[in-house]
Amino acid sequence: MKHCLYSVALFCLVVVDANANSVVEPLIASQAQSTQHTDALSKNKDPDAEFIALPFIFSTETLSTAMGGAAVIKHAGQPQAAALGIGLYSSNDSWIGFLGLYNYQIPTIEQWLFSFESYQGHYEQGIYFLDANETSNNQTEKIISEGDEGFSRLHFKYILPIATGANGAKQSLLDRRDDISWNPLASGVSSIKITPYTQHRKLAVNDQLADKARGVELKFEWDNRDAQNDSKDGGKTSVKIKHGLAIDDDPHWTLWEFEQSLFYDIGGNGWFDEQVLAANVFVADTPTWNDYENSTQDYRRPPSFAGVYLGGYDRSRGYSSKSFTGRSAVNYALEYRIKPQWQPLQNWPIFNLYHIPWWQWVMFAEVGKVSDEFDVQALHTDMHHTFGAGVRFEVENIVIRTEFAVGSVESEFWVMVNQPF
């Protein structure tokens, strides 16, 4: 059954997203969360390692027909740890490889978690968006090009010894939390994450573009949700500062991101077991955007693949991945999530092979804008709108979501894992 589950999750991720070079990162995040064994953690047991491997085959616009495999090891050496490997090759000679190691601890250091991720990909017909600073006509441009891209990240996550984190980093991974309050000293999990990274993207259509980024990210987070998969109360606050080092003739740069999610339980009625309003605010800026570096004769701006963007499976969902790039961004999202009392899935063929405790119907709206000015008026003029609806399922502790989103000039259909926020 678990083999089939991961087949479904992986298949959904890659078969729907026509821009296959945006597939890997959501898969990474989903597997990092889904491999937590919360029952064993809550009972202080040391479960045996579980190995899950599967092949898959699919077809997309950019990859043509592709086949490969994935393997997951749950409780990989430690109860809370997981390892993930993915590889695929396509009929048009594109390929992807990924390795992830998550949530490891050093003995006697109870407040730290260590993770590592490495991804490499080659695309013969990748879809990319270049911002106005990377094109000769000073306008954002969509291109199809042979491309090589990848990243490596090493995460050092410190769980502050307050509230839920007072019991150690391992216990902070538990999914369900009660007694939500708005005092971070008494509620939720507060953490600081330091991430040295290196990232690259080289396009055959223009080999003069900046193709490397390396530096460090610093992220402060307060996760005060009552649950990860189906939040009904509380919220999540995060602030990320990303610094890119100078490489060759490209100067150093800095950007920051702020994100706030809030959840409000409306309650049930004769039709619905639950009704929840979920809201999200995202703001980002590159304060070094107009700083001129005399030594390199260039502005301190990140390459578009490493900078601020909107568009994709989590923000501005009516548009392709990274459709909008630039200095600053703002995005507002509001969702109405309901769980109907009618839940027939456990009685349907195939579905009855899995544990599906709930399904959720969702309507959502978003407005967002990317601008080369960090200015309230510039960011809130001619904003891009998205309206959509979808159905989400929790299948064996993994949220699978299907969404149709309509933007101002295009529409997208996503099948993805995890809630968008």
Side-chain angles (χ1 to χ4, degrees), residues 271-287:
W271 292 87
F272 307 121
D273 284 335
E274 293 178 5
Q275 300 180 90
V276 176
L277 282 180
N280 179 267
V281 176
F282 172 80
V283 183
D285 181 45
T286 311

Side-chain angles (χ1 to χ4, degrees), residues 8-27:
V8 170
L10 287 166
F11 179 80
C12 289
L13 281 168
V14 292
V15 77
V16 177
D17 188 354
N19 184 5
N21 43 314
S22 67
V23 165
V24 175
E25 292 198 55
L27 175 59

Side-chain angles (χ1 to χ4, degrees), residues 223-234:
D223 188 347
N224 193 39
R225 298 172 295 173
D226 62 334
Q228 293 181 4
N229 286 348
D230 59 335
S231 305
K232 300 186 293 293
D233 189 16

Side-chain angles (χ1 to χ4, degrees), residues 261-396:
S261 299
L262 294 171
F263 305 91
Y264 180 71
D265 187 358
I266 301 176
N269 56 34
W271 292 87
F272 307 121
D273 284 335
E274 293 178 5
Q275 300 180 90
V276 176
L277 282 180
N280 179 267
V281 176
F282 172 80
V283 183
D285 181 45
T286 311
T288 62
W289 188 266
N290 291 323
D291 294 347
Y292 193 72
E293 190 76 30
N294 291 322
S295 60
T296 61
Q297 300 293 299
D298 206 351
Y299 289 99
R300 293 169 53 190
R301 301 173 180 176
S304 61
F305 64 85
V308 174
Y309 72 90
L310 290 180
Y313 41 82
D314 282 341
R315 299 188 191 98
S316 295
R317 284 165 277 178
Y319 304 88
S320 301
S321 296
K322 297 187 178 181
S323 291
F324 311 104
T325 58
R327 168 179 171 164
S328 307
V330 63
N331 195 78
Y332 305 99
L334 182 66
E335 295 193 345
Y336 174 51
R337 304 174 180 179
I338 57 177
K339 289 183 182 178
Q341 292 191 6
W342 176 62
Q343 213 283 56
L345 300 182
Q346 292 287 183
N347 299 320
W348 291 359
I350 300 180
F351 284 90
N352 59 14
L353 299 176
Y354 307 99
H355 177 56
I356 307 177
W358 53 262
W359 66 339
Q360 188 178 69
W361 300 351
V362 182
M363 294 183 289
F364 60 88
E366 294 183 84
V367 291
K369 177 73 178 294
V370 171
S371 173
D372 285 344
E373 299 178 71
F374 187 55
D375 176 81
V376 173
Q377 183 174 355
L379 287 168
H380 292 82
T381 302
D382 298 325
M383 301 180 76
H384 305 288
H385 297 77
T386 294
F387 299 95
V391 180
R392 300 169 188 172
F393 315 82
E394 182 180 285
V395 184
E396 301 286 354

Side-chain angles (χ1 to χ4, degrees), residues 85-103:
I86 305 169
L88 67 85
Y89 191 84
S90 78
S91 60
N92 69 358
D93 294 326
S94 299
W95 56 267
I96 292 173
F98 173 79
L99 173 66
L101 305 171
Y102 297 99
N103 296 330

Side-chain angles (χ1 to χ4, degrees), residues 71-329:
V72 176
I73 303 177
K74 301 171 66 174
H75 325 303
Q78 295 181 353
Q80 77 291 340
L84 167 66
I86 305 169
L88 67 85
Y89 191 84
S90 78
S91 60
N92 69 358
D93 294 326
S94 299
W95 56 267
I96 292 173
F98 173 79
L99 173 66
L101 305 171
Y102 297 99
N103 296 330
Y104 281 86
Q105 285 190 308
I106 297 175
T108 73
I109 304 180
E110 296 184 353
Q111 298 302 132
W112 287 86
L113 295 170
F114 302 91
S115 303
F116 172 76
E117 301 166 337
S118 182
Y119 152 66
Q120 301 291 325
H122 172 78
Y123 304 93
E124 288 291 324
Q125 295 180 314
I127 299 175
Y128 301 96
F129 292 85
L130 304 182
D131 66 29
N133 302 286
E134 298 176 321
T135 61
S136 58
N137 58 12
N138 292 322
Q139 294 181 349
T140 300
E141 183 178 352
K142 177 182 177 181
I143 63 169
I144 298 177
S145 172
E146 178 182 346
D148 290 282
E149 61 183 59
F151 60 75
S152 294
R153 300 169 180 159
L154 184 60
H155 303 287
F156 304 87
K157 187 173 184 179
Y158 176 68
I159 307 299
L160 272 64
I162 57 176
T164 304
N167 299 318
K170 186 186 300 185
Q171 292 298 312
S172 74
L173 298 173
L174 296 175
D175 179 66
R176 181 67 61 175
R177 302 187 180 103
D178 299 316
D179 301 324
I180 297 295
S181 76
W182 294 105
N183 180 2
L185 298 177
S187 179
V189 177
S190 300
S191 63
I192 301 173
K193 184 164 68 175
I194 304 169
T195 303
Y197 71 90
T198 179
Q199 188 175 357
H200 71 271
R201 186 191 72 180
K202 190 173 183 63
L203 305 183
V205 71
N206 188 341
D207 58 7
Q208 301 301 311
L209 296 174
D211 57 10
K212 298 184 183 70
R214 68 173 66 101
V216 64
E217 295 179 3
L218 180 64
K219 185 176 183 179
F220 303 87
E221 183 177 271
W222 179 36
D223 188 347
N224 193 39
R225 298 172 295 173
D226 62 334
Q228 293 181 4
N229 286 348
D230 59 335
S231 305
K232 300 186 293 293
D233 189 16
K236 185 177 181 181
T237 306
S238 69
V239 177
K240 181 169 71 174
I241 301 171
K242 183 176 180 179
H243 181 71
L245 302 175
I247 302 176
D248 300 327
D249 294 331
D250 300 319
H252 63 93
W253 47 268
T254 301
L255 65 81
W256 59 263
E257 297 177 355
F258 169 81
E259 185 170 8
Q260 176 67 62
S261 299
L262 294 171
F263 305 91
Y264 180 71
D265 187 358
I266 301 176
N269 56 34
W271 292 87
F272 307 121
D273 284 335
E274 293 178 5
Q275 300 180 90
V276 176
L277 282 180
N280 179 267
V281 176
F282 172 80
V283 183
D285 181 45
T286 311
T288 62
W289 188 266
N290 291 323
D291 294 347
Y292 193 72
E293 190 76 30
N294 291 322
S295 60
T296 61
Q297 300 293 299
D298 206 351
Y299 289 99
R300 293 169 53 190
R301 301 173 180 176
S304 61
F305 64 85
V308 174
Y309 72 90
L310 290 180
Y313 41 82
D314 282 341
R315 299 188 191 98
S316 295
R317 284 165 277 178
Y319 304 88
S320 301
S321 296
K322 297 187 178 181
S323 291
F324 311 104
T325 58
R327 168 179 171 164
S328 307

Side-chain angles (χ1 to χ4, degrees), residues 7-73:
S7 298
V8 170
L10 287 166
F11 179 80
C12 289
L13 281 168
V14 292
V15 77
V16 177
D17 188 354
N19 184 5
N21 43 314
S22 67
V23 165
V24 175
E25 292 198 55
L27 175 59
I28 294 168
S30 68
Q31 296 298 344
Q33 292 185 13
S34 66
T35 48
Q36 297 168 9
H37 198 305
T38 57
D39 289 340
L41 291 176
S42 63
K43 298 177 182 177
N44 295 316
K45 294 181 179 179
D46 289 340
D48 295 331
E50 298 180 27
F51 178 77
I52 304 168
L54 61 117
F56 51 78
I57 183 170
F58 60 91
S59 181
T60 71
E61 177 184 351
T62 57
L63 289 177
S64 188
T65 301
M67 62 180 62
V72 176
I73 303 177

